[in-house]
Amino acid sequence: MTAFDYDLFVIGGGSGGVRSARLAAGMGKKVGIAEEFRFGGTCVIRGCVPKKLYVYASQFHEHFEDAAGFGWTVGETRFDWKALVAAKEAEITRLEGLYRKGLDNAGATILQTRAVLVGPNTVRLTATDELVTAERIVIAVGGHPTPHFDLPGHDLCITSNEAFDLAELPKSILISGGGYIAVEFANIFHGLGVETTLIYRGKQILSRFDQDMRAGLQAAMIAKGIRVICEDIITHVAEGEGGRRTVTTKAGETLVVDQVMLALGRVPNTARLGLETAGVRTNEKGAIVVDDYSRTNVPGIFALGDVTDRVQLTPVAIHEAMCFIETEFRGNPVSPDLDLIATAVFSQPEIGTVGLSEEEAAKKFDDLEVYRAEFRPMKATLSGRQEKTIMKLIVNAGDRKVVGAHILGHEAGEMAQLLGVSLKAGVTKDDFDRTMAVHPTATEELVTMYQPSYRVRSGQRV
Ligand SMILES: Cc1cc2nc3c(=O)[nH]c(=O)nc-3n(C[C@H](O)[C@H](O)[C@H](O)COP(=O)(O)OP(=O)(O)OC[C@H]3O[C@@H](n4cnc5c(N)ncnc54)[C@H](O)[C@@H]3O)c2cc1C
């Protein structure tokens, strides 16, 4: 018999929290889980899922245009933003229901409330002011978009949270940021017919990605008609005529747009969570500091997912939750494996990537072989669309291991998943060479690049 109300109490009903609670409850543990907003968390309610649905919506106008090259005549088309928002809402509500049902079926107690720590084993449920105790507490509260309080007029701007549910589709939008969320939304809004500008302080979008992917995508976005302003930032936003926004940039440009969206990173949801009271340590970004087993400095308190500032992705939060359960409830210590995470940018075209960029690999290995192909995808031959697919393998010449694989092109995210399996298994370039191609596909290029395009020795391209 435990002296606590719960064996496990989870704060936050997102990707990591729900998985922790469901697995522990399924093992017969007494579990409580508190969510202050909607079960499913960022991913289901205002992240990956609605984002991908909007990506699909935004691709249709190119499909309609491309159809002509294949003999189709497409009649007059019209886009209804409100219909898309309603359809999205119905789908995320369905998913939210599934999350609740999964918890319920496993036997977890679902609590619709904010929860805060009041001590190492005690949590306060703010909806009822009730105190509950637990042997173990998992903090999986995620993060929220950086509000950029220093920017005059920041309150006139939206973030990704609001972008999904705007009352009207704006005619024009300025998006500030160069990370994957900014880039994806720029492509979504452009695809839906919005005059879109992206402003980013760096030299080129997507700073942590392979150079070829960054350059290729930026060029493709510009060619589509998205205006990309680099090496500049917004310094002031003011309310203009007719509810529009007048934006001033550091370089002195003035833009008048319907909406300004800030996509400048995310902040962990650790404010007013009672961390100081419980003695839980955070870092300079406000993220909870954990060890390899998601343990905080306070025994019995764990943290996982975005709030820990490791890798902010849904599968990572879920994996960390599974490792936590394995370690704490199954007596099998497992630390999350965050090496070689395959990931995608759902831009148009997409980026799919796993492993090291050429720049990172050049710092790590003395002798690299780079295999690179740039070609027009088959569909574009008849559609007439001017676009390029880029595929790239980075190989450590020393042991022939493929240390990075990068694709810019349609369905690159789908391809990255399978490349992830291969790289995780330690695939060599010779394995690629002896693999038969699937013809005709874009991916066959990956197994038919027999000669290196160039080598990088001691950091220098030769
Ligand atoms: C626009 C956007 C697009 C994204 N796209 C992708 C993608 O394509 N692929 C991908 O892998 N990842 C994507 N992500 C990231 C992904 O959504 C997160 O990495 C993931 O949701 C993190 O899960 P989590 O469990 O740590 O936190 P979350 O899912 O954020 O869940 C935390 C939950 O805790 C709740 N909460 C907070 N404080 C409290 C409290 N005190 N009491 C009770 N409840 C509380 C919140 O309401 C929230 O529901 C995207 C994120 C955004 C914003």
Side-chain angles (χ1 to χ4, degrees), residues 291-294 310 316 319-320 323-324 334-339:
D291 69 7
D292 284 349
Y293 298 93
S294 299
R310 284 178 275 189
V316 174
H319 176 66
E320 287 167 0
C323 292
F324 159 74
V334 187
S335 59
D337 174 4
L338 303 181
D339 191 30

Side-chain angles (χ1 to χ4, degrees), residues 239-277:
E239 190 141 16
E241 264 175 47
R244 302 189 85 199
R245 307 289 183 241
T246 304
V247 180
T248 317
T249 78
K250 196 172 181 187
E253 192 171 339
T254 301
L255 293 101
V256 180
V257 290
D258 289 338
Q259 291 285 0
V260 181
M261 174 175 159
L262 304 180
L264 300 163
R266 292 180 63 82
V267 196
N269 284 331
T270 47
R272 297 176 305 282
L273 193 59
L275 296 177
E276 303 79 11
T277 319

Side-chain angles (χ1 to χ4, degrees), residues 12 15-16 35-36 41-42 48 51 114-115 180 266 305-306 313-315:
S15 309
E35 167 56 52
E36 66 176 349
T42 305
C48 336
K51 184 264 309 276
R114 178 171 173 80
Y180 81 95
R266 292 180 63 82
D306 281 8
L313 291 170
T314 288

Side-chain angles (χ1 to χ4, degrees), residues 11-17 34-44 46-49 51 113-116 140-143 160-161 164 180-181 184-185 266 269 272-273 304-307 311-315 317 344 346:
I11 308 179
S15 309
E35 167 56 52
E36 66 176 349
F37 181 53
R38 294 177 70 178
F39 277 88
T42 305
C43 175
V44 173
R46 40 200 186 187
C48 336
V49 173
K51 184 264 309 276
T113 175
R114 178 171 173 80
V116 295
V141 293
S160 59
N161 280 356
F164 289 115
Y180 81 95
I181 293 177
E184 289 176 342
F185 271 97
R266 292 180 63 82
N269 284 331
R272 297 176 305 282
L273 193 59
L304 47 88
D306 281 8
V307 75
V311 181
Q312 297 188 349
L313 291 170
T314 288
F346 294 100

Side-chain angles (χ1 to χ4, degrees), residues 147-154 235:
H148 203 348
F149 289 126
D150 296 343
L151 173 71
H154 67 87
T235 50

Side-chain angles (χ1 to χ4, degrees), residues 23 48 73 119 148 154-155 186 225 233 278 329 349 409:
L23 290 180
C48 336
T73 302
H148 203 348
H154 67 87
D155 49 320
I233 53 168
F329 291 109

